[in-house]
Amino acid sequence: MEGAHEKLLHLTFEEAEGTEISENAKTSRFQSSNFILWLQIFIFTFFALAGQAVGTLLGRVYYEQGGQSRWIATLVQTAGFPILLPIICYPSTENHNEQQLIVQQPSIFVRASVYIFLGLFQVANSMLYTVGVQYLPASTYSLISGSQLAFNALTSFLLNGQKITPIILNSVVLLSFSSSVIIFQNEASVSGEISQASLLIGFAATTIGSLGYALQFSLTELAFQKVFKSGTLKVVMKMSFFIGLFVTLTSTAGLIASGNWKDLGKEMGEYRSGKLSYVMNLVFTAISWQMYAVGSIGLVFKASSLFSNVIINLGSSVVPIFAMVFLKDRMTGLKVFSLLLGLWGYASYIYQHYLDDLEAKAGETKSSVEDDDFEASLIQGT
């Protein structure tokens, strides 16, 4: 009996030691996966911010050097999609389990329907924003379009189950203000030249466009949740590629139908810095906005539509810094105020994610302790 008791104690010690090793392994896996997730979020954030900044600045240069075609400026925002072709055509190197997940992807018809639907949304929203820019003063347009983040918080709550905590609400308010702080600038000289009917059209178009973009982000997240449930990062590239393809074809059709394509040769010849500079500007603008598209969709995939929108609004506050450095823009107090509000709002949102990570880690620890207690009770019962 004594030998059996010692054997039982020895087995109990080995099981406890094995449990400790298993616990360490679980903690290590959790930390590793968490690090990889945040690394991917950081990369997508860089793509979104860098693409937005460079694309915006190159767009400014295009108009300052003599470019005039709005259709071309719209077209280059999605025409960079071919650079993703090598990535989406590259054979998958995932393991067997990941290959099984890829097999479970929806049919081509379902995926194509999602791409076309989201592409139509983007085309419609772009057209609405174009009308808003045309009919509204810059400050009024900025104020209304800044409501996109607030709309996105609502659509994310309704469609994606987004948790709206006081910290996230604080972040949304701060970032919305930061992107629309231009309202404090003087617009009297502009608004006096616009009729009441034009203001009404511009207001309606910009408001619907803001709501539309918010809904587009939430629907993209919903597609990842319900349609591409077992997707990998390649799904992000494919979605960006096919939406870009669809929107580019639509913009090209608009360019041809408007007849503006006939003036492209003249526009290129009159471009102040030369034809080569004209072409290079459009090429790098297209690449920049494609980086932005991959980054924004990637953030929806890895975080949420609201997180992606937070980064975009932060970018609106950061762009003036790059304009000051590269285009010699004057840095006003309002721009500094906008940047500080944006950074504060972004920090608030990241802090909420930090709290969520702590809660998830605590949940993992609690679950492991409960499993250990259950195993101990079985051993004692034996």
Side-chain angles (χ1 to χ4, degrees), residues 74-312:
T74 302
L75 181 63
V76 294
Q77 292 185 23
T78 56
F81 71 91
I83 66 174
L84 299 178
L85 197 56
I87 300 175
I88 65 176
C89 291
Y90 189 78
S92 299
T93 57
E94 291 91 350
N95 58 34
H96 179 68
N97 291 333
E98 288 178 330
Q99 287 177 352
Q100 282 186 325
L101 292 177
I102 293 174
V103 172
Q104 296 173 1
Q105 286 293 316
S107 66
I108 294 177
F109 174 76
V110 172
R111 281 178 283 171
S113 299
V114 171
Y115 298 146
I116 293 174
F117 180 75
L118 293 176
L120 281 172
F121 244 85
Q122 185 167 332
V123 171
N125 293 329
S126 297
M127 291 178 65
L128 287 168
Y129 268 168
T130 300
V131 172
V133 170
Q134 182 177 359
Y135 287 109
L136 287 180
S139 54
T140 305
Y141 171 80
S142 179
L143 177 65
I144 299 173
S145 60
S147 65
Q148 177 184 326
L149 184 59
F151 283 138
N152 189 217
L154 177 61
T155 57
S156 295
F157 175 76
L158 296 175
L159 297 179
N160 311 124
Q162 171 72 47
K163 180 174 64 174
I164 305 297
T165 65
I167 296 176
I168 288 181
L169 186 60
N170 173 69
S171 174
V172 168
V173 172
L174 288 172
L175 284 161
S176 297
F177 280 157
S178 73
S179 63
S180 56
V181 73
I182 194 175
I183 188 66
F184 295 106
Q185 294 182 0
N186 182 22
E187 63 171 334
S189 61
V190 181
S191 59
E193 301 173 2
I194 302 177
S195 67
Q196 193 67 29
S198 297
L199 284 172
L200 184 61
I201 294 172
F203 177 84
T206 307
T207 302
I208 296 173
S210 297
L211 179 58
Y213 265 118
L215 190 57
Q216 180 183 340
F217 273 90
S218 293
L219 289 174
T220 301
E221 183 177 356
L222 191 64
F224 285 130
Q225 291 173 335
K226 303 297 184 181
V227 181
F228 305 106
K229 293 181 288 186
S230 58
T232 62
L233 287 177
K234 185 174 281 191
V235 174
V236 175
M237 304 300 174
K238 287 183 177 179
M239 179 174 287
S240 181
F241 176 87
F242 286 111
I243 290 178
L245 171 62
F246 180 78
V247 177
T248 299
L249 291 176
T250 305
S251 299
T252 303
L255 176 65
I256 295 173
S258 66
N260 288 157
W261 63 273
K262 300 176 182 178
D263 301 325
L264 294 183
K266 179 183 178 182
E267 180 177 282
M268 185 184 299
E270 295 177 352
Y271 199 70
R272 295 190 185 94
S273 49
K275 294 183 179 180
L276 179 61
S277 178
Y278 179 87
V279 174
M280 295 298 291
N281 179 289
L282 297 184
V283 169
F284 283 110
T285 301
I287 293 174
S288 300
W289 283 118
Q290 191 57 57
M291 282 181 59
Y292 164 82
V294 170
S296 59
I297 294 176
L299 288 173
V300 173
F301 178 67
K302 281 298 176 181
S304 67
S305 60
L306 188 58
F307 188 99
S308 183
N309 224 324
V310 162
I311 297 299
I312 293 169

